[in-house]
């Protein structure tokens, strides 16, 4: 499944620069979830979390929060490219329409992608991508389900869980310590 996450990240390879970060992505805490991977390098930052009782190898839900520095990509470009990248590593892919808007005055968007069977491990995956084109970074937050292969025309999670995911990304905020109109909490 790491390959599926890499499909989303592949559009950024070689495009990022060091982080300076007066701008901050504020992501709601998920009680009980724990960090299984955290990387900070010249390209930016990436943190992966899983719920209680799951392991880094055997998980069914995952959240990844990433900040890529120096990436000139637009929100729409990312949401389109991640579909194509996912299609290359999955048997059977469907994507919901992109939802575009603003967060903290910056362009933002969401899109769901269903992967009926990931070629790497044979499991199915369903992902909600949420991206923000900040002033200092390109932010990507994903919520992912992984389980038995499925027909990608159907959503493998309940409507209530999908609403929880939507509420979660809806609570994400972008603040800037230099801008009194967008203070950080």
């Amino acid at each position: 499944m790491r390959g599926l996450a890499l499909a989303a990240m592949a559009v950024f390879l070689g495009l990022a620069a060091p982080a300076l970060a007066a701008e901050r992505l504020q992501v709601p805490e998920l009680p009980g979830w724990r960090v299984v991977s955290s990387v900070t390098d010249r390209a930016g930052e990436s943190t992966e979390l899983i719920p209680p009782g799951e392991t880094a190898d055997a998980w069914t839900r995952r959240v990844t929060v990433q900040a890529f520095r120096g990436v000139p990509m637009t929100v729409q470009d990312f949401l389109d490219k991640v579909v194509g990248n996912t299609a290359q590593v999955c048997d059977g892919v469907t994507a919901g329409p992109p939802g575009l808007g603003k967060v903290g005055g910056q362009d933002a968007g969401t899109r769901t992608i269903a992967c009926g069977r990931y070629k790497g491990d044979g499991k199915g995956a369903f992902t909600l991508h949420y991206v923000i084109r900040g002033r200092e970074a390109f932010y990507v937050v994903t919520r992912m389900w992984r389980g038995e292969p499925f027909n990608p025309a159907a959503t493998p999670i309940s409507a209530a869980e999908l609403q929880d995911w939507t509420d979660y990304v809806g609570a994400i905020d972008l603040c800037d310590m230099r801008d009194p109109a967008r203070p950080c909490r």
Side-chain angles (χ1 to χ4, degrees):
M1 262 310 132
R2 191 170 290 286
L4 192 55
L6 290 175
M9 291 176 31
V11 296
F12 297 119
L13 293 177
L15 298 176
L20 301 174
E23 181 176 76
R24 301 235 193 279
L25 186 67
Q26 296 182 112
V27 179
E29 184 177 336
L30 291 166
W33 286 54
R34 65 184 177 87
V35 173
V36 292
S37 172
S38 185
V39 176
T40 300
D41 60 22
R42 66 180 184 83
E45 299 89 35
S46 179
T47 301
E48 298 179 26
L49 302 104
I50 58 173
E54 298 198 0
T55 68
D57 293 325
W59 55 271
T60 63
R61 307 295 189 276
R62 184 180 213 106
V63 170
T64 304
V65 180
Q66 300 165 305
F68 299 95
R69 309 294 177 196
V71 174
M73 183 171 288
T74 69
V75 167
Q76 183 71 57
D77 287 345
F78 176 87
L79 294 174
D80 291 342
K81 287 183 187 218
V82 74
V83 175
N85 290 353
T86 302
Q88 293 176 17
V89 297
C90 290
D91 291 324
V93 171
T94 60
L100 302 174
K102 300 271 187 187
V103 170
Q106 303 300 310
D107 290 338
T110 61
R111 186 170 221 172
T112 57
I113 301 176
C115 165
R117 190 184 74 79
Y118 172 57
K119 293 175 184 177
D121 66 7
K123 293 188 180 281
F126 182 80
T127 307
L128 171 64
H129 295 276
Y130 182 65
V131 296
I132 302 170
R133 163 79 274 160
R135 286 190 279 191
E136 293 183 7
F138 193 88
Y139 302 97
V140 179
V141 178
T142 57
R143 288 210 60 169
M144 182 181 239
W145 169 92
R146 175 175 75 167
E148 293 302 313
F150 64 97
N151 177 344
T155 304
I157 63 173
S158 70
E161 183 172 2
L162 184 55
Q163 184 61 54
D164 179 57
W165 290 16
T166 302
D167 292 346
Y168 175 80
V169 298
I172 293 171
D173 192 23
L174 186 65
C175 68
D176 192 326
M177 295 170 44
R178 299 165 300 196
D179 185 348
R182 296 176 38 219
C184 296
R185 299 179 256 156

